[in-house]
Amino acid sequence: MPTLDIQNLQVAIGDKPIVKGLSLTIRSGEVHAIMGPNGTGKSTLAKAIAGHPDYTITGGDVLLDGKSILEMEADERARSGLFLAFQYPSEIPGVTIANFLRAALQARLGEGEEIDATAYYKRLYGKMDMLTIDRKFTSRAVNEGFSGGEKKRCEILQMAMLEPKFALMDETDSGLDIDALRIVSEGVNALRGPGLGVLLITHYQRLLNYIVPDFVHVMYDGRIVKSGDKSLALELEAKGYDWVKKAV
């Protein structure tokens, strides 16, 4: 079974330690939610695993199917099966979603291999139909002029096409109203299954009403300080984070 194994991970930005010895194992088919107050290192964790150059891993390891990914560039990690859904997806003016996704898939092929256009569009439209996304969507420039909900749906479509082993979803609910949250959550649930492990980072329990996690972890001061099931998220919603801080 595919696994993403985070072992005593320590991450810094410049000289400042942010993640301070975090361990977590995610197996294919599992959804793990990480919750915690602002500034505790949740987004840093996701970006460091994905290979963002602004974050320095100062200790520990990250294993994908038993193999360390720390010496890999970000694109190599993506080709190995990691996907990062950004909190604030970037706009790419002049590049349509259809061409962007085709280029992403082409980059995974060997030298001299080419994507068959007919097969590509058949697959693309099949994924869009599954996610109930209008086919006209693909002719728009990536995230240009998109609402928050449209940007996140674009990310879900990318995830559907790239079919990663593990998805790191960095505050997918950020900036979404209730309707957009429901639509995006339906997309994630449509992709959920035995071939995909998910690390879901969020501040709020409301997202977990739609995407019900198998495990919930509370992160505070760069570490996981408490773990449980969905009921832990409800407890956090009722009590806030102060009781967790006091228990550390």
Side-chain angles (χ1 to χ4, degrees), residues 96-146:
T96 66
I97 291 171
N99 287 338
F100 176 75
L101 287 171
R102 185 170 178 172
L105 290 169
Q106 180 67 48
R108 292 185 163 195
L109 298 181
E111 189 174 347
E113 293 183 79
E114 290 289 335
I115 287 177
D116 178 78
T118 302
Y120 166 71
Y121 279 101
K122 182 179 180 181
R123 180 181 172 193
L124 176 61
Y125 291 145
K127 298 290 188 183
M128 294 183 78
D129 291 347
M130 179 186 74
L131 297 171
T132 63
I133 298 174
D134 191 308
R135 293 185 179 186
K136 294 178 183 176
F137 193 67
T138 57
S139 63
R140 297 174 66 182
V142 178
N143 294 326
E144 188 174 25
F146 282 20

Side-chain angles (χ1 to χ4, degrees), residues 144-160:
E144 188 174 25
F146 282 20
S147 68
E150 287 174 329
K151 287 181 179 181
K152 299 304 170 72
R153 291 186 88 182
C154 184
E155 297 252 291
I156 300 302
L157 178 58
Q158 291 172 42
M159 193 164 79

